[in-house]
Amino acid sequence: MTVADAYPWLKAAHVACALLFVGGIVAGGLLLAGGRAMADQGAPLATVLRRWDRVVTTPAMLGVWAFGIGLASAGGWLTSGWLQAKLVLVVLLSAIHGLQSGQIRRLAVGMDVKPLRAAALVVPSVIAIAVLAVIKP
Ligand code: HEM
């Protein structure tokens, strides 16, 4: 199989991982808000959330990066402005995911969890990432 043959499969894997990664961040944010609202009864919810994060969201994030780097190298886009701008936003989403994972751990052991202010950046970042990836301005 040549790189040209493998490319569409790489892209499909990248998009599938991106959907699961972003879905995990959005669902994680909503369930964390629910867990906070339940005060000291949020721990069982956090345990389920923690397992999902470990089995799906974190591997999907690693897949997004690995397949994305593969696509960028194959397409010769590593130095393109659109990709660099996209990477800044993906680093931001990866950092928000890291903060969320910390909050899920704290909620699982019954500790107090404050709302994550950076969560407001998720929706605009995902919209900008989609525009940068598709339009490549
Ligand atoms: C949350 C993170 C990410 C999301 C939501 C995302 C989303 C997408 C989507 C939907 C496409 C398809 C665009 C199209 O078909 O025209 C795409 C393409 C691409 N992505 Fe990502 N991506 C993410 C992270 C990354 C990372 C970390 C890299 C590189 C290190 C990367 C590199 C690329 C490249 C080079 C393409 C172009 C493929 C092509 O047009 O043939 N992406 N991305």
Side-chain angles (χ1 to χ4, degrees), residues 7 11 14-15 18 21-22 64-65 68-69 71-72 77 82-83 86-87 90 93 129 133-134 136:
Y7 191 87
K11 187 152 135 178
H14 178 68
V15 173
F21 174 48
V22 173
V64 159
W65 277 98
I69 289 169
L71 291 171
W77 284 305
W82 69 268
L83 182 66
K86 180 175 154 172
L87 287 183
V90 182
L93 289 184
I129 286 173
V134 175
K136 302 183 180 50

